[in-house]
């Protein structure tokens, strides 16, 4: 296929119809921009899509929505239905003989496992959290910061468990303490009724209502040119003319489709980003041996277990539940998928003995992409992430969980999508003013 002469010149072509792309498209279309939203998949959603498994909607690994993300979602007409899980009921520690030991959270705080001075350190850390000034901590690693604040290794591991829970990241030596503390301040999360696919459906509906054109099964091969004459070429050869291009693909994919490529210095900003991954065991079960055990995390191990159906509705079958088990992976890349799966199954054996008898369907995702970038100290923490406007390429913008100085995970995707849209709208308004002045 080639360029159709009747093909319009779009104000904005957006690559990627995940949550960032859909959100940006709504802001742009509501501001009167003509918007074409492309996705390589057969339907919108990206990593936010849920899978139908045995009458249940199962997310790609465990997903939680921070309540702090709600204002932007509500601005674009999306109101998620869901509920907040209770705090983890237990943490798993390593015993004196190397065995695994689940410890109820209440016993951790009230029992004898932690000494009095250790409990004091834990309480002091969390009591100071909301008033901690993070501006001086963006270039300090979490590991360094915790060692300066907490002398007890056991207490540091408790904090690291809660950090993994809120960031999905198991790289304390790399991740910025400032970014982590900002994330911990966000507090409560929601599990979403019907899975995250319901967010995708609502966003797609709002996008179409605003006038966005959505084309699925349309992978992009190239972004060429600069404002106001840009071309997006699809893998089938179709050429699309646009004034602005917004890529919500990851940094590596975005770099690979730019023509001409960015300069080495500009490309380095994208190339040095380190992805966050997790090994995910997603289960549809007909109950569990220990139904009261709903939420367990590892303190000395990077583990997560949660029965999401204990909180929200995910299945049409009244007896079926959706359970997520995860291992947060280090960026070292040393993990072995088969060993990770055995490790997660062993974790389940510990907290849900005979769980295999209850499995209706299961799926193992060995290296699920959680986020495109650890917020590292080396890059300057949150303020050091790439901005939505790509340097040296007028008219080219990016958005996603690796872009902008606000938030992590979904919050970063939403904030950067909004910022990219506002930048494009502002650029068009300034261009109009310039034309009027010239006239």
């Amino acid at each position: 296929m080639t360029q159709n002469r009747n093909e319009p010149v779009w104000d904005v072509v957006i690559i990627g119809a995940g949550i960032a792309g859909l959100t940006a498209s709504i802001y742009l279309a509501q501001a009167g921009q003509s918007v074409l939203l492309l996705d390589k998949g057969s339907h919108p959603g990206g990593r936010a899509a849920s899978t139908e498994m045995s009458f249940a909607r199962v997310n790609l690994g465990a997903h939680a929505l921070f309540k702090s993300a709600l204002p932007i979602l509500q601005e674009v007409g999306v109101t998620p239905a869901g509920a907040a899980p209770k705090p983890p009921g237990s943490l798993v520690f390593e015993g004196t003989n190397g065995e695994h030991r689940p410890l109820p959270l209440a016993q951790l705080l009230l029992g004898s496992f932690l000494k009095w001075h250790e409990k004091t350190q834990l309480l002091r850390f969390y009591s100071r959290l909301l008033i901690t000034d993070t501006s001086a901590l963006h270039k300090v690693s979490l590991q360094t910061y915790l060692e300066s604040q907490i002398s007890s290794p056991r207490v540091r591991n408790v904090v690291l468990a809660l950090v993994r829970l809120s960031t999905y990241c198991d790289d304390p030596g790399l991740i910025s303490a400032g970014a982590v503390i900002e994330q911990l301040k966000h507090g409560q999360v929601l599990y979403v009724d019907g899975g995250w696919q319901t967010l995708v459906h609502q966003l797609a509906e709002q996008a179409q209502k605003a006038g966005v054109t959505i084309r699925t099964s349309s992978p992009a091969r190239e972004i060429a040119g600069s404002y106001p004459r840009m071309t997006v070429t699809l893998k089938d050869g179709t050429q699309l003319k646009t004034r602005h291009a917004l890529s919500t693909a990851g940094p590596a994919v975005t770099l690979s489709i730019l023509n001409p490529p960015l300069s080495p210095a500009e490309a380095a900003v994208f190339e040095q980003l380190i992805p966050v991954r997790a090994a995910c065991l997603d289960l549809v079960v007909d109950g569990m041996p220990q139904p009261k055990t709903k939420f367990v995390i590892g303190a000395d191990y990077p583990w997560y277990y949660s029965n999401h159906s204990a909180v929200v509705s995910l299945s049409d079958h009244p007896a079926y539940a959706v359970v997520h088990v995860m291992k947060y992976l280090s960026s070292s890349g040393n993990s072995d998928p088969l060993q990770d799966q055995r490790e997660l199954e062993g974790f389940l054996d510990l907290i849900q003995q005979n769980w295999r008898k209850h499995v209706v369907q299961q799926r193992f995702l060995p290296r699920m992409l959680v986020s495109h970038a650890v917020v590292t100290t080396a890059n300057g923490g949150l303020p050091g992430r790439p901005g939505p406007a790509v340097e040296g390429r007028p008219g080219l913008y990016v958005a996603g969980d690796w872009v902008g100085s606000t938030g992590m995970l979904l919050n970063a995707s939403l904030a950067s999508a909004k910022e990219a849209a506002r930048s494009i709208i502002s650029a068009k308004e300034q261009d109009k003013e310039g034309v009027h002045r010239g006239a």
Side-chain angles (χ1 to χ4, degrees):
M1 278 175 86
T2 57
Q3 171 67 37
N4 183 340
R5 292 183 180 181
N6 296 323
E7 184 78 42
V9 178
W10 300 91
D11 286 323
V12 191
V13 171
I14 301 175
I15 295 158
I19 285 184
L22 286 163
T23 301
S25 77
I26 297 168
Y27 281 116
L28 289 161
Q30 288 177 341
Q33 307 276 298
S34 60
V35 182
L36 174 61
L37 179 57
L38 305 170
D39 198 86
K40 65 182 179 180
S42 58
H43 50 76
R47 286 173 291 137
S50 307
T51 306
E52 291 284 336
M53 290 172 57
S54 300
F55 307 103
R57 265 68 62 195
V58 184
N59 294 326
L60 296 169
H63 283 47
L65 175 69
F66 278 91
K67 284 190 173 180
S68 51
L70 294 179
I72 290 182
L73 287 173
Q74 288 164 353
E75 281 182 8
V76 293
V78 174
T79 304
K86 293 180 179 179
S90 301
L91 281 80
V92 178
F93 291 85
E94 185 172 339
T96 52
N97 298 320
E99 75 281 9
H100 304 148
R101 177 185 178 186
L103 190 73
L105 186 60
Q107 190 175 331
L108 179 71
L109 298 173
L110 302 174
S112 60
F113 181 75
L114 292 180
K115 296 181 171 56
W116 175 251
H117 77 275
E118 290 178 312
K119 294 176 185 177
T120 303
Q121 287 180 31
L122 183 60
L123 292 171
R124 185 187 300 122
F125 177 83
Y126 275 94
S127 66
R128 292 177 178 175
L129 192 65
L130 291 176
I131 58 171
T132 300
D133 179 11
T134 58
S135 60
L137 296 176
H138 291 300
K139 296 183 179 180
V140 177
S141 77
L142 177 65
Q143 188 71 46
T144 298
Y145 178 71
L146 290 183
E147 287 174 355
S148 74
Q149 299 292 310
I150 300 170
S151 62
S152 164
R154 280 195 299 193
V155 174
R156 285 201 297 270
N157 281 355
V158 171
V159 173
L160 285 171
L162 298 170
V163 167
R164 288 191 292 266
L165 185 61
S166 63
T167 67
Y168 290 72
C169 182
D170 187 31
D171 280 298
L174 288 178
I175 197 167
S176 158
V180 166
I181 292 170
E182 287 295 326
Q183 184 75 351
L184 291 174
K185 288 180 180 182
H186 284 299
Q188 205 169 42
V189 300
L190 296 174
Y191 293 165
V192 178
D193 274 324
W196 275 38
Q197 190 66 46
T198 61
L199 299 180
V200 174
H201 285 324
Q202 288 186 59
L203 285 165
E205 286 176 5
Q206 292 298 326
Q208 289 170 328
K209 190 185 296 183
V212 175
T213 299
I214 302 176
R215 293 186 192 173
T216 54
S217 302
S218 299
R221 186 179 73 197
E222 180 184 86
I223 302 173
S226 59
Y227 176 81
R229 295 180 185 84
M230 304 186 76
T231 302
V232 174
T233 304
L234 305 184
K235 286 193 175 176
D236 67 5
T238 302
Q239 292 187 330
L240 305 164
K241 290 183 178 179
T242 183
R243 295 178 180 86
H244 305 88
L246 168 57
S247 175
T248 65
V253 171
T254 299
L255 279 182
S256 72
I257 61 176
L258 296 184
N259 181 22
L262 295 182
S263 72
E266 292 162 346
V269 176
F270 291 45
E271 290 168 342
Q272 62 195 0
L273 300 175
I274 301 168
V276 179
R277 296 186 182 275
C280 306
L281 184 58
D282 302 328
L283 306 173
V284 178
V285 296
D286 60 359
M288 274 304 215
Q290 301 294 327
K292 291 184 179 179
T293 300
K294 298 172 183 175
F295 196 176
V296 182
I297 58 175
D300 295 335
Y301 310 91
W303 297 340
Y304 167 102
Y305 168 94
S306 180
N307 183 339
H308 284 223
S309 289
V311 182
V312 293
S313 174
L314 295 167
S315 174
D316 298 327
H317 194 298
Y320 289 179
V322 174
V323 169
H324 290 286
V325 194
M326 288 195 309
K327 177 184 179 182
Y328 305 97
L329 299 178
S330 166
S331 63
S332 65
N334 293 331
S335 70
D336 172 69
L338 288 176
Q339 177 58 36
D340 289 338
Q341 185 170 2
R342 284 194 290 266
E343 193 174 317
L344 290 176
E345 291 171 350
F347 173 38
L348 277 172
D349 290 336
L350 176 70
I351 61 173
Q352 293 286 1
Q353 194 173 10
N354 297 321
W355 59 274
R356 290 172 180 81
K357 295 179 181 178
H358 295 271
V359 174
V360 177
Q361 190 173 352
Q362 68 180 48
R363 171 182 66 193
F364 181 61
L365 305 172
R367 290 182 56 79
M368 179 64 198
L369 179 66
V370 175
S371 168
H372 286 96
V374 179
V375 186
T376 63
T377 58
N379 292 340
L382 288 169
R385 287 197 304 208
V390 177
E391 294 292 330
R393 195 61 51 88
L396 177 62
Y397 296 82
V398 291
D401 55 25
W402 53 285
V403 179
S405 58
T406 301
M408 298 172 72
L409 304 168
L410 177 70
N411 290 49
S413 291
L414 292 170
S416 61
K418 179 178 179 179
E419 188 181 351
R422 293 298 184 222
S423 297
I424 292 169
I425 294 163
S426 176
K428 186 174 182 180
E429 288 172 350
Q430 290 172 5
D431 193 46
K432 281 184 178 178
E433 289 175 7
V435 169
H436 291 319
R437 289 196 192 99

